[in-house]
Amino acid sequence: MSLRQTLLQTVRMLRDRLPAGARARERASLRAAWGRPVDRERDPVLVATWHDLLEEEGPTVDEATWRDLAMQEVFAAVDRTRSMPGRQWLYHQLRTYASGGVLAERSRQQALLIGAPGFREEAQGILGALDGPSAFFLAPLLLSELPERPWFAPLLALCSAAGLATLGGMVLLPAYWAPFLLAFLPVMAANIAINALYGPRISPYLPGFSQVAILCGTGLRLAALAPAPGLPQLATCRRLGPLARRLGRELAFVARDRVRAGGILQSMLAYLNLILLLDIQAFLWNLGRLKRHRRDMLELLEAVASLDAALAAASYRDGLPTVTTPALGEGRALRVRGLRHPLLAHPVGNDLDLDAPGALITGSNMTGKTTFVRTVGVNLILARTLHLCLAEEALLPRAVVRSSIRREDSQEEGKSYHYAELERIRAFVEEAGEEDLRLFLVDEIFRGTNTPERLASAAAVLRHLAERHLVLVTTHDGELQGMVGEAFRVFHFSEEVVDGRCAFDYRIHAGPARSRNAIRLLEILGYPEPITREAHRFADGSPAAVQG
């Protein structure tokens, strides 16, 4: 069994021990992730573990929108964390819409850290102690209900002592190795049986358990940093310092990350564990301590992880050529200047001043209209999670983003993309009754059906969504403009044919698109003249062309 499979199995076992409410959500991507190459630092399932185990206290970025907007790639672009828990906490922040007070605090911390590069470097060096794969499981360990100490614990201690005595006797008293061997063999068999029967009960806790002492040491080192900016995470580390120092000493014996050990050392530890019940004894010996201080250790973990996430956000922000702290309004107004997508190597800044509930965005393929609506969605999520926006200026609504962009046939579920889109838009219609403002992003609405019904259905749905929410929709159907009414402003992206080549400026323009470059491209590519002539006639509404 691979390391990743072992760790995922641990997560599942710990999840089963959580209260019912904490395991209500199950990520669909868990199944899809099996068998893919593993990036140890950003494996999507392991990174998402902490977020998945937390109770939802507010709106989150749903799975469909996360996929549509390529937010996993955005997360990778933002991620400068040095610890596994920090990576998990940054992911949780990007998946959870925050309130105004929380966002203001994140902006304050980013500004402090940008102004203290020396502190950033020292802190990130300390946080690297928690970069082992087992550190992913500190959060599941501290969020789960730990088991009770079994009544037969003294018998397990006796078996462990017997294994140590007989093995030590063979090594230290070689003249009596034969009687010691006779005693060692049944003891070893009994301990192997104990490992097989009782070991699985504690194995889900061991990866995270081995990291608690490392967490304590990390908190102590962070608390000792000087001069330290005014960060609440450091105050928490200092307040919990005496407990961390004492608990770190008591757990020092189990402060090892076995999955990071070399092959020979791993094998030696595995054999000694079979014979001496090392993991079982270490766990049972320290179980009471961990149960008493579990909440304090969870608070320390949150402080360390959130500091790492703040450092990452500050480093990301400091490296952006164009960034602003967005103003978040209470209405549906959306005004941006120089808005850019975080994943494009050479992004084109776009301006948009939308004072209506909706925007109908037209234009040819490849002109940039779908990328633009993604850009708006990604930046609104960044604004409401990290309180930053890749723009020169930004006034954004306090909206929850919902998208229907990447639609593919689902062979597993036997659904066409048209049916999948119908289900997704139906979910939008249901959410339209919610009080919280939504920003609905729709790409080529209902493109999988015939034109008259598509237009009628699209107009009805868009008008309904725009009654209380904000809607950005891309379309090739210019006829929609007259059907959706004054609630929608029309914009377009366009291209120019220059010297026989198609050129794109990737800028949004007010008003409908009026170019006929689609037919011009047929001519450039050498389509027969009768075809292009007939195309012009159809485009002009020529009766001769219609009658054939």
Side-chain angles (χ1 to χ4, degrees):
M1 182 179 294
S2 69
L3 166 62
R4 183 166 181 269
Q5 289 173 325
T6 302
L7 296 181
L8 287 174
Q9 205 171 64
T10 299
V11 171
R12 285 177 166 173
M13 295 176 71
L14 281 172
R15 181 179 294 154
D16 291 340
R17 295 179 181 273
L18 291 171
R23 58 176 191 268
R25 298 190 306 115
E26 182 70 35
R27 299 181 72 247
S29 61
L30 185 63
R31 296 190 303 272
W34 285 101
R36 293 206 302 261
V38 179
D39 179 341
R40 180 179 66 86
E41 295 186 349
R42 293 193 182 95
D43 180 82
V45 177
L46 298 181
V47 169
T49 301
W50 197 344
H51 173 74
D52 289 343
L53 296 180
L54 291 174
E55 294 282 2
E56 291 184 8
E57 297 181 355
T60 61
V61 182
D62 65 301
E63 288 291 341
T65 301
W66 186 262
R67 291 192 303 269
D68 283 352
L69 302 185
M71 287 301 299
Q72 195 66 36
E73 288 77 10
V74 174
F75 162 72
V78 176
D79 183 20
R80 271 90 165 152
T81 56
R82 297 299 177 88
S83 71
M84 299 303 185
R87 195 156 295 125
Q88 290 174 314
W89 193 260
L90 179 64
Y91 177 91
H92 171 62
Q93 286 185 342
L94 280 174
R95 290 299 297 259
T96 309
Y97 295 100
S99 64
V102 172
L103 293 175
E105 174 62 16
R106 288 177 186 170
S107 285
R108 187 188 72 84
Q109 290 187 20
Q110 290 170 21
L112 280 173
L113 293 169
I114 289 173
F119 173 84
R120 277 160 50 190
E121 185 176 345
E122 285 189 82
Q124 288 175 327
I126 293 171
L127 289 161
L130 287 169
D131 73 337
S134 292
F136 273 130
F137 299 96
L138 271 167
L141 171 75
L142 297 174
L143 285 168
S144 64
E145 293 295 333
L146 297 172
E148 297 295 329
R149 183 179 175 85
W151 61 268
F152 49 85
L155 295 177
L156 299 180
L158 183 61
C159 290
S160 180
L164 180 62
T166 54
L167 182 62
M170 286 190 293
V171 174
L172 299 176
L173 300 171
Y176 300 96
W177 70 269
F180 277 116
L181 177 61
L182 290 176
F184 172 73
L185 291 176
V187 170
M188 181 179 69
N191 288 352
I192 290 174
I194 291 171
N195 264 306
L197 295 173
Y198 186 69
R201 300 189 190 183
I202 67 168
S203 61
Y205 305 96
L206 293 179
F209 196 76
S210 68
Q211 298 291 302
V212 176
I214 300 174
L215 170 64
C216 291
T218 301
L220 287 170
R221 293 178 65 193
L222 288 173
L225 283 178
L231 298 169
Q233 296 95 326
L234 297 180
T236 299
C237 290
R238 287 192 289 269
R239 177 170 54 83
L240 295 175
L243 172 62
R245 185 173 290 104
R246 185 175 73 253
L247 197 59
R249 287 196 302 265
E250 294 170 349
L251 296 176
F253 176 74
V254 292
R256 66 185 190 280
D257 191 349
R258 186 177 296 176
V259 298
R260 300 182 69 183
I264 296 177
L265 182 56
Q266 274 196 23
S267 299
M268 291 178 59
L269 289 173
Y271 284 122
L272 287 174
N273 182 54
L274 279 175
I275 298 169
L276 304 178
L277 306 179
L278 295 179
D279 286 344
I280 291 176
Q281 290 307 313
F283 181 79
L284 294 179
W285 182 263
N286 294 287
L287 178 61
R289 296 182 180 89
L290 191 57
K291 287 173 73 73
R292 287 192 301 273
H293 303 297
R294 183 169 63 92
R295 293 187 182 277
D296 291 324
M297 288 297 99
L298 182 59
E299 186 180 0
L300 180 61
L301 177 63
E302 290 177 351
V304 170
S306 63
L307 175 60
D308 198 6
L311 288 163
S315 296
Y316 175 69
R317 181 170 192 149
D318 195 30
L320 291 172
T322 303
V323 64
T324 187
T325 299
L328 296 173
E330 298 300 330
R332 289 189 278 188
L334 195 160
R335 300 185 184 92
V336 291
R337 187 164 66 88
L339 189 70
R340 291 166 168 81
H341 196 289
L343 299 181
L344 297 181
H346 304 288
V348 174
N350 265 295
D351 301 345
L352 179 65
D353 189 345
L354 184 61
D355 57 357
L360 200 66
I361 304 172
T362 64
S364 305
N365 290 329
M366 301 182 295
T367 54
K369 57 185 186 298
T370 302
T371 299
F372 177 75
V373 298
R374 281 195 171 108
T375 302
V376 174
V378 168
N379 275 280
L380 182 52
I381 291 174
L382 290 175
R384 294 210 57 201
T385 57
L386 302 182
H387 210 204
L388 60 86
C389 182
L390 280 74
E392 297 166 15
E393 296 178 10
L395 170 63
L396 300 173
R398 296 181 185 273
V400 172
V401 181
R402 295 288 186 259
S403 68
S404 175
I405 296 177
R406 182 182 299 171
R407 299 184 296 277
E408 300 171 351
D409 287 357
S410 175
Q411 296 180 359
E412 182 179 331
E413 298 182 15
K415 296 177 181 177
S416 69
Y417 78 70
H418 177 57
Y419 189 77
E421 181 192 21
L422 287 173
E423 289 187 325
R424 182 64 174 162
I425 300 298
R426 169 62 181 172
F428 289 0
V429 172
E430 292 175 352
E431 284 196 53
E434 298 288 337
E435 290 294 330
D436 292 338
L437 183 65
R438 300 291 194 270
L439 169 62
F440 294 115
L441 307 175
V442 186
D443 184 37
E444 295 296 337
I445 186 169
F446 298 151
R447 61 182 171 182
T449 187
N450 64 77
T451 298
E453 291 189 2
R454 177 175 73 245
L455 292 174
S457 302
V461 168
L462 293 176
R463 287 167 64 95
H464 176 77
L465 295 178
E467 287 180 3
R468 298 174 60 181
H469 300 280
L470 191 60
V471 185
L472 269 63
V473 58
T474 69
T475 182
H476 287 290
D477 298 316
E479 300 92 332
L480 268 179
Q481 179 183 357
M483 302 175 69
V484 294
E486 297 182 355
F488 283 77
R489 300 287 183 266
V490 180
F491 301 87
H492 73 274
F493 285 81
S494 62
E495 71 288 327
E496 292 184 1
V497 178
V498 180
D499 297 329
R501 300 183 64 181
C502 201
F504 305 96
D505 65 3
Y506 303 113
R507 294 190 182 278
I508 192 168
H509 305 277
R514 302 188 183 281
S515 68
R516 286 191 177 177
N517 288 326
I519 301 176
R520 177 66 179 137
L521 285 173
L522 298 182
E523 296 170 343
I524 291 172
L525 292 172
Y527 276 65
E529 191 272 338
I531 292 178
T532 58
R533 183 176 64 249
E534 195 76 358
H536 278 295
R537 289 177 179 174
F538 276 115
D540 292 334
S542 168
V546 175
Q547 293 171 5

